[in-house]
């Protein structure tokens, strides 16, 4: 009887759909689209699978509408964006997918409380993730013959365009190749940026499943696959906003057809002297490096990022450099509040690290010895070893540091599974640590690696979920060599699933440690290799991922050979840096080597909460603040 009911229900779904979408599939097939190639279809299915794995339906309901903008309006045949409004359906049950509309008003008219309303003469671009058994035979043959990527749970995307008739029925057509290009760029961008949306606190009923989000807008660069690229334009800027009409506070003087931007170059007359009161802070003039303190500081009135000792240096810097960078600096300063982690109860600014550590009672103790220059004469990895874990954490009280023990309570149906964390709040809650504990400053390095492997690089995440080993090439370690007890936390959050073989390679590794292998926790094996990565890589096990934290690519010529090798290897590689300015410089360095940033520059949820000021440009910086990737 159970088999009979299952077959009956499957036939019912095939005929009528599972809701709350527009009903059954149309029978269209992408191989019939003019201009499309098998490689283009494969790229579409890969992008659809990547979006599916980010699981936007956990948070989004049809009432959450997003605006999307791909390139300029003039890039498209109708001189406007084809489907600039998107919603996700199926979060409350039924078919999983998303609908794209030609306007926000069309989306509002077709969004009911539980079902999609059929409004006459409204066209909808649909991507529905359907089980393979319910997909029409022509589409199943296409999936099999092209070996298209599965999205998950035996589901594949079904792509078509539906139009509601005046009689309440539906008409279907294949999308055009131009429309497929558009949705490819949208899927790539949405999968990157939607995790950045923040819940709007103190809004809505607590019992409601509809969550309000803060207004949001983000622009990322999406790389066209070769089969969709026209001319030399291999990148396109995609802007995602919520609600759809939300825009940037600042725009350039360009027309409505141009791509939105986060910053505009300031008018020259806006650059005037402005004095700020920075008590007890010594900063350096951006031109002559003279120390300037307190009320003597003079900063740019527009960006308030760069300080000077007086008007002569200010005028000189404006003409030589700052005029072209002021807008970008202002955008960076606007994100300072976003980057600051206000949840923590310990001081998060360290212009004078020794005083900061003394205030916390951990100066010249344990792993904190690498947080100031007092032990700079001691090579990396050579600090005296502390026998007890509490000593490694500088003698913090027992409740203020993580203990070396697994999370045995974290299981599903009696089976162990990795602990997936969204940020520091989750981790501190899991470990029952007080927000006055400063351990996040050191844990930023291991948890940035954890974030890359479990939330950014899908292939590594899948290997870990399957209980397999992931090999990480960790390039350029320095202070991390003295923070090995902190890396044990990765082993704990893996919670019995998968292993990590971490190969640390760099000239900062002491000779007497090169070639050593040791275990951290139960799931991590670390190998230390002294030398330049491009010279040692041929002797190392093949990596799944390459990482380099706080890399400053433009500062060291030794990166040149490493980047050439990364380009040849084609391995997913991820970098962090301390400011958005440094990331912009790094992107230029990567472009010079023919590498493109394919994972956008985004704030790292496991960045250090402790802020410093960079002597070179006076911008506030946070260790591992921004994350980006290439070859992903």
């Amino acid at each position: 009887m159970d088999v009979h009911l299952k077959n009956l229900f499957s036939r019912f779904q095939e005929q009528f759909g599972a809701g709350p979408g527009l009903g059954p599939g149309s029978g269209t097939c992408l191989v019939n689209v003019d201009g499309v190639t098998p490689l283009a279809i494969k790229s579409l299915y890969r992008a659809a699978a990547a979006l599916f794995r980010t699981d936007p339906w956990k948070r989004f309901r049809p009432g959450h509408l997003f605006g999307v903008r791909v390139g300029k309006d003039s890039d498209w045949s109708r001189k406007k964006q084809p489907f600039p409004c998107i919603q996700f359906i199926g979060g409350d049950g039924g078919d999983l997918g998303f609908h794209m509309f030609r306007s926000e008003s069309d989306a509002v008219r077709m969004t009911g409380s539980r079902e999609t309303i059929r409004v006459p003469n409204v066209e909808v671009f649909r991507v529905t993730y359907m089980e393979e058994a319910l997909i029409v035979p022509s589409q199943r043959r296409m999936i099999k013959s092209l070996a298209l990527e599965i999205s998950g749970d035996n589901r594949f995307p079904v792509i078509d365009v539906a139009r509601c008739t005046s009689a309440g029925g539906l008409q279907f057509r294949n999308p055009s190749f131009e429309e497929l290009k558009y949705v490819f760029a949208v899927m790539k961008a949405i999968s990157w940026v939607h995790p950045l949306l923040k819940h709007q606190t103190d809004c809505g009923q607590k019992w409601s499943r509809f969550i309000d989000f803060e207004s949001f807008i983000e622009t990322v660069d999406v790389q066209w696959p070769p089969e969709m690229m026209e001319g030399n334009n291999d990148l396109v800027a995609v802007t995602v906003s919520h609600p759809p009409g939300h825009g940037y506070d600042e725009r350039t003087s360009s027309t409505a057809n141009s791509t939105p931007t986060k910053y505009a170059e300031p008018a020259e007359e806006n650059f005037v002297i402005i004095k700020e009161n920075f008590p007890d802070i010594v900063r350096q003039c951006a031109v002559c490096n003279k120390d300037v303190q307190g009320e003597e500081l003079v900063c740019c009135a527009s960006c308030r990022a760069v300080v000077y000792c007086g008007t002569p240096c200010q005028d000189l810097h404006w003409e030589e450099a700052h005029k072209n960078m002021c807008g970008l600096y202002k955008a960076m300063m606007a994100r300072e509040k976003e980057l600051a982690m206000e949840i923590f109860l310990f001081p998060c600014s360290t212009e004078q690290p020794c005083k900061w550590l003394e205030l916390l009672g951990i100066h010249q103790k344990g792993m904190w010895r690498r947080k100031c220059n007092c032990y700079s004469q001691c090579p990396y990895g050579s600090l005296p070893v502390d026998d007890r874990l509490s000593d490694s954490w500088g003698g913090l009280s027992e409740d203020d540091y993580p203990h070396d023990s697994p999370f045995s309570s974290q299981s599903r149906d009696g089976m162990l599974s990795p602990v997936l964390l969204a940020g520091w709040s989750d981790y501190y809650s899991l470990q029952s640590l007080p927000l006055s504990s400063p351990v996040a400053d050191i844990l930023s390095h291991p948890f940035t690696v954890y974030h890359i492997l479990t939330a950014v690089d899908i292939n590594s995440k899948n290997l870990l979920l399957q209980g397999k080993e992931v090999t990480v090439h960790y390039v350029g370690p320095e202070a991390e060599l003295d923070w090995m007890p902190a890396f044990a936390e990765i082993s704990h959050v893996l919670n019995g699933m998968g292993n990590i073989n971490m190969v640390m390679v760099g000239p900062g590794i002491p000779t007497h440690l090169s070639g050593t292998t040791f275990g951290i926790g139960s799931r991590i094996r670390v190998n230390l290799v002294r030398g330049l990565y491009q010279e040692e890589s041929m002797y190392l096990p093949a990596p799944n991922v390459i990482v380099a934290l706080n890399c400053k690519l433009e500062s060291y010529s030794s990166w040149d050979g490493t980047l050439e090798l990364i380009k040849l290897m084609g391995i997913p590689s991820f970098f962090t840096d301390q400011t958005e300015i440094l990331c912009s410089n790094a992107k230029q360095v990567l472009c010079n080597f023919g590498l493109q940033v394919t994972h956008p520059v985004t704030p790292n949820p496991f960045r250090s909460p402790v802020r410093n000021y960079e002597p070179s440009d006076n911008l506030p910086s946070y260790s591992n603040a921004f994350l980006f990737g290439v070859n992903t």
Side-chain angles (χ1 to χ4, degrees), residues 121-175:
N121 300 318
V122 172
E123 204 166 45
V124 184
F125 192 110
R126 310 190 311 168
V127 177
T128 308
Y129 293 92
M130 301 185 66
E131 294 184 9
E132 185 176 5
L134 303 180
I135 297 176
V136 297
S138 60
Q139 292 172 337
R140 286 206 300 269
R141 286 195 295 271
M142 176 188 70
I143 292 169
K144 296 290 186 184
S145 61
L146 298 181
L148 298 178
E149 184 168 344
I150 190 171
S151 293
D153 298 331
N154 200 30
R155 291 177 183 263
F156 293 89
V158 174
I159 304 174
D160 59 26
V161 180
R163 176 185 289 274
C164 305
T165 66
S166 56
L170 292 173
Q171 295 176 340
F172 300 98
R173 67 170 175 86
N174 275 315

Side-chain angles (χ1 to χ4, degrees), residues 4 52 55 62 134 149 175 194 303 329 337 378 382 467 614 622:
H4 170 72
F52 185 89
D55 205 0
L134 303 180
E149 184 168 344
H194 84 74
C303 68
Y329 278 28
K337 186 175 181 181
C378 185
S382 300
E614 285 293 287
Y622 300 81

Side-chain angles (χ1 to χ4, degrees), residues 410-576:
Q410 299 293 317
S411 62
R412 295 180 181 177
D413 300 325
M415 299 293 291
L416 293 177
S417 61
V419 182
L420 301 180
L421 306 173
W424 288 125
S425 295
D426 288 354
Y427 175 73
Y428 269 59
S429 176
L430 182 68
Q431 281 283 26
S432 299
L433 293 173
L435 296 176
S436 58
S437 169
V439 295
D441 188 31
I442 287 179
L443 288 172
S444 171
H445 285 73
F447 272 96
T448 296
V449 176
Y450 153 86
H451 176 67
I452 291 170
L453 299 183
T454 61
V456 181
D457 185 60
I458 299 300
N459 181 58
S460 296
K461 180 179 179 179
N462 289 338
L463 289 174
L464 292 172
L465 290 174
Q466 296 167 17
K468 298 180 180 179
E469 183 172 88
V470 172
T471 298
V472 179
H473 284 184
Y474 193 117
V475 183
E478 291 183 341
E480 300 95 305
L481 300 174
D482 293 300
W483 295 339
M484 287 303 166
F487 279 81
E489 286 303 289
I490 302 181
S491 179
H492 298 329
V493 293
L494 288 178
N495 204 31
M497 295 291 288
N499 298 291
I500 296 176
N501 177 23
M502 189 179 301
V503 184
M504 291 188 169
V505 186
I509 295 176
T511 303
H512 72 278
L513 291 179
S514 184
T516 59
T517 301
F518 52 94
I520 301 177
S522 60
R523 294 283 168 180
I524 301 178
R525 184 173 67 255
V526 176
N527 301 278
L528 301 181
V529 179
R530 177 180 173 85
L532 298 177
Y533 182 66
Q534 60 269 29
E535 297 174 358
E536 302 295 333
S537 62
M538 67 181 69
Y539 307 109
L540 306 178
N544 300 105
V545 171
I546 301 170
V547 300
L549 307 188
N550 295 326
C551 54
K552 296 184 180 179
L553 293 180
E554 81 288 356
S555 301
Y556 302 103
S557 59
S558 58
W559 276 111
D560 293 356
T562 299
L563 296 179
E564 288 281 10
L565 179 62
I566 288 175
K567 179 182 177 182
L568 292 174
M569 295 171 70
I571 299 296
S573 305
F574 297 91
F575 304 85
T576 69

Side-chain angles (χ1 to χ4, degrees), residues 600-613:
V601 176
T602 56
N604 173 20
F606 289 101
R607 59 190 174 273
S608 168
V610 178
R611 182 186 69 178
N612 291 281
Y613 280 89

